[in-house]
Amino acid sequence: MHWIAPSEKDTAASSLEKRLWDAADQFRANSGLKAQEYSGPILGLIFLRFAEVRFAAQRARLEAAGASSRRGSRVDEPAAYHAEGVLYLAPEARFEHLLTLPEFEVIGASVNAAMRLIEQHNPTLAGVLPKTYNLFTSTLLKELLKKVSEIPATLDFDAFGRIYEYFLGAFAKTEGQGGGEFYTPSSIVKLLTEIIEPFHGRILDPACGSGGMFVQSARFVAEHQKNPAAELAICGVEKTDETGRLCRLNLAVHGLEGDIRHGGNVNSYYDDPHAATGAFDFVLANPPFNVNAVDKERLKDMVGHDARGNPRRFPFGLPRTDNANYLWIQLFWSALNATGRAGFVMANSASDARSSEQDIRRQLIQARAVDVMVAVGPNMFYTVTLPCTLWFLDKGKAGTARADTVLFIDARHIRRQVDRAHRDWTPAQIGFIANLVRLYRGEAVDATVGGDEMATRLAEVFGHNAQGQPAYRDIPGLCKAATLAEIEAQGWSLNPGRYVGVAPGEAVSDEDFKEQLETLNEELEALNAQARELEQTIAANVAGILEG
């Protein structure tokens, strides 16, 4: 199915986020600072502006309450702010104070001091805020403070959050390959959340980056008229300390709190700081692809099942290849409780990988946990052009009518061209794919995302049943509900292209051919790596026999 939405460049160009970014980026260009030196402090200033807006609103409420209370005013008590989920700001830590500092002062030292004061009065942010403003000249900081002050104080926290996310994405583009380690494009994250539907419960991201999965989950809850802070318990792991701090700051900007373990050599392969096995309702992740050199000796006690038959972290065994994709996949599966759902991004090669990885995939499929597979086209990420696959697990499907089927969706030709090198999905496209899944699951259509445009397209593609509602059916070139027998016949492949096929009258395009060739080349590289590993094993065995 081809659905290419028109670009919305003009709308984006006039947005507040775009204007702020253009100005900030121009300042950076004239500063001599690297993007990595610049990003944290800029995000810190946006955070401080947001924190002051919420602080000022709470202070006004406390002043009004104090005027009519015999107890007196509580406007200078940090606890009176913390009780409402608001950060307390001492006078010297307030944005307005920093904004009015004269340029001849060393403003960098004053901003660093402000950040320390905020951490002192708000222990949940201890060690999180940037304190490298001394790298900036006072002139540059004054310009930045003025520019950030243009964010209207009337904005709600979600609008502030969107500005913060826009800057995260823009920095990810600027930082190139490194940017992909902390940022997953929002349209990908939104589709993941729409399909796993995290209404309520514990949510884990063991490779959480800057926390986009948590923020989008909270937005999903808010869009369905609930309070995310009351509905979701957020847990994350991030091996890079600086990125972990970025995540905690991102949560704070969105009025959220979470248990984020970061730095200090914490590593999701070897460490389980949240005692995750069987403990989570939802898992969302975009792990690093095709990681090698994982020390499998350190994992051997986490394989299989315990004496009571309960699965450990790697219940289906360790892959023999030097590739961590199937370690991640098992970590996601094992963290889910009996009805848990997971949505994650994975390299295409994992869908067809052979040998020991194929055996792990077979066990996963036979456990009736694989629910939906979505093929995604190239250029959806800032740092890699290769296509990828979205995996969705659902342990609760085992007792349903779809226990022995897996839904495959080919979304490679559903997209909006953002610019020459980047693509995304519109809300209507995200809503269409998510509601395709809901039709397959026998759930009601939810038009929260995509609205009328989504509903019209859904009706065009699937028609209506006797009750006047769209009903799921296999659509060549778009979707196919394959049985386990069909999947077994395909060597336990989870590659949507093997099942969905091509729509009548469509031919394989040059782009499709290039994509297929890239995928095959990726698989060939993996097979070559396995061959080299096997060659070394055989050589060692022969040497051992000859020496004996």
Side-chain angles (χ1 to χ4, degrees):
M1 174 180 169
H2 288 252
W3 179 3
I4 315 301
S7 174
E8 296 183 7
K9 284 182 185 176
D10 293 341
T11 307
S14 62
S15 70
L16 173 62
E17 297 99 311
K18 180 75 162 54
R19 294 200 310 276
L20 287 168
W21 168 258
D22 285 346
D25 199 42
Q26 184 60 46
F27 295 149
R28 184 195 67 77
N30 297 328
S31 71
L33 294 170
K34 296 174 185 173
Q36 296 94 317
E37 296 171 318
Y38 194 69
S39 56
I42 296 297
L43 291 167
L45 292 180
I46 294 171
F47 161 78
L48 182 56
R49 172 69 173 158
F50 163 76
E52 174 144 322
V53 168
R54 296 192 81 206
F55 168 83
Q58 176 65 0
R59 186 177 179 86
R61 287 190 291 268
L62 290 171
E63 285 172 344
S68 59
S69 170
R70 275 184 281 176
R71 221 186 120 179
S73 176
R74 301 184 65 204
V75 293
D76 294 318
E77 291 182 27
Y81 295 83
H82 297 160
E84 297 300 320
V86 175
L87 299 173
Y88 175 76
L89 302 180
E92 299 82 7
R94 294 173 196 167
F95 190 92
E96 286 301 320
H97 166 74
L98 299 172
L99 184 62
T100 55
L101 287 174
E103 205 171 293
F104 61 77
E105 285 205 21
V106 184
I107 297 178
S110 297
V111 180
N112 284 344
M115 294 298 176
R116 290 190 185 94
L117 269 174
I118 294 169
E119 291 186 350
Q120 180 184 324
H121 288 115
N122 304 277
T124 57
L125 289 178
V128 171
L129 300 178
K131 305 174 196 71
T132 55
Y133 293 95
N134 51 297
L135 295 174
F136 294 61
T137 66
S138 291
T139 304
L140 175 59
L141 271 175
K142 191 77 175 172
E143 291 291 340
L144 284 169
L145 285 162
K146 283 181 187 172
K147 185 52 66 175
V148 173
S149 73
E150 293 178 13
I151 301 176
T154 52
L155 288 186
D156 60 20
F157 81 80
D158 194 53
F160 262 100
R162 288 179 198 279
I163 292 171
Y164 187 90
E165 287 170 59
Y166 186 92
F167 271 64
L168 275 175
F171 279 124
K173 282 186 184 179
T174 305
E175 295 185 25
Q177 193 61 35
E181 294 177 5
F182 64 78
Y183 185 80
T184 305
S186 59
S187 66
I188 293 272
V189 183
K190 191 161 187 66
L191 180 61
L192 291 172
T193 55
E194 282 295 310
I195 290 179
I196 72 164
E197 301 177 316
F199 282 106
H200 172 87
R202 300 188 75 212
I203 183 165
L204 172 71
D205 183 347
C208 67
S210 55
M213 301 289 181
F214 302 133
V215 169
Q216 194 59 60
S217 296
R219 190 165 287 139
F220 175 87
V221 172
E223 285 171 349
H224 290 84
Q225 317 311 316
K226 295 287 182 70
N227 176 10
E231 299 295 327
L232 297 176
I234 291 169
C235 296
V237 182
E238 173 51 51
K239 69 181 177 66
T240 306
D241 194 43
E242 185 180 342
T243 305
R245 291 198 297 271
L246 207 59
C247 175
R248 289 168 61 191
L249 198 59
N250 195 9
L251 292 179
V253 166
H254 288 83
L256 302 168
E257 287 187 17
D259 183 359
I260 310 301
R261 309 295 177 90
H262 57 93
N265 297 316
V266 68
N267 187 310
S268 285
Y269 302 127
Y270 314 121
D271 305 311
D272 187 14
H274 298 296
T277 305
F280 284 88
D281 300 285
F282 305 101
V283 173
L284 280 163
N286 175 20
F289 298 169
N290 302 319
V291 173
N292 58 13
V294 175
D295 184 355
K296 292 177 188 167
E297 274 297 305
R298 294 177 61 184
L299 307 180
K300 61 185 181 183
D301 293 334
M302 309 175 202
V303 177
H305 295 70
D306 64 19
R308 295 182 178 178
N310 298 315
R312 295 190 174 108
R313 300 183 77 211
F314 306 103
F316 305 126
L318 300 179
R320 290 192 296 275
T321 52
D322 190 15
N323 187 311
N325 290 343
Y326 273 87
L327 296 178
W328 283 115
I329 291 168
Q330 290 188 79
L331 285 178
F332 305 148
W333 183 90
S334 63
L336 297 174
N337 60 26
T339 57
R341 285 180 175 178
F344 54 91
V345 188
M346 187 47 63
N348 273 357
S349 57
S351 303
D352 278 314
R354 307 287 183 182
S355 189
S356 58
E357 292 172 307
Q358 181 183 37
D359 188 56
I360 293 170
R361 189 171 62 249
R362 172 188 60 78
Q363 294 178 69
L364 191 67
I365 295 166
Q366 290 179 329
R368 276 46 178 193
V370 181
D371 192 24
V372 183
M373 302 291 294
V374 180
V376 178
N379 298 318
M380 294 288 280
F381 289 81
Y382 294 143
T383 54
V384 291
T385 58
L386 284 174
C388 66
T389 307
L390 306 184
W391 292 50
F392 296 92
L393 309 180
D394 184 356
K395 283 193 176 177
K397 83 161 197 169
T400 70
R402 65 182 200 282
D404 293 330
T405 59
V406 174
L407 176 63
F408 293 94
I409 299 173
D410 187 349
R412 291 173 303 154
H413 302 296
I414 299 175
R415 64 176 183 271
R416 171 174 58 186
Q417 196 74 36
V418 179
D419 55 39
R420 189 182 59 80
H422 301 104
R423 298 170 175 174
D424 69 0
W425 287 313
T426 66
Q429 290 170 331
I430 293 168
F432 174 82
I433 298 168
N435 279 295
L436 191 169
V437 175
R438 291 187 181 108
L439 293 181
Y440 164 71
R441 289 174 176 162
E443 298 172 355
V445 169
D446 182 347
T448 305
V449 176
D452 291 342
E453 184 185 354
M454 177 279 299
T456 300
R457 183 61 68 112
L458 202 67
E460 284 174 2
V461 174
F462 290 97
H464 294 95
N465 59 18
Q467 288 74 44
Q469 299 297 319
Y472 177 80
R473 61 188 174 88
D474 292 343
I475 305 287
L478 173 63
C479 58
K480 162 79 173 175
T483 65
L484 296 196
E486 289 174 306
I487 295 169
E488 182 179 7
Q490 290 287 345
W492 303 103
S493 169
L494 289 176
N495 178 351
R498 292 200 182 212
Y499 304 95
V500 173
V502 178
E506 282 188 6
V508 177
S509 66
D510 290 345
E511 186 176 86
D512 276 347
F513 176 75
K514 181 172 180 277
E515 200 174 304
Q516 289 168 10
L517 193 60
E518 286 173 337
T519 303
L520 287 169
N521 188 55
E522 192 178 340
E523 188 176 340
L524 178 62
E525 287 176 1
L527 289 170
N528 285 338
Q530 289 178 32
R532 287 191 293 272
E533 191 179 323
L534 190 58
E535 188 179 345
Q536 290 171 359
T537 303
I538 292 168
N541 289 342
V542 169
I545 292 168
L546 293 175
E547 287 171 9

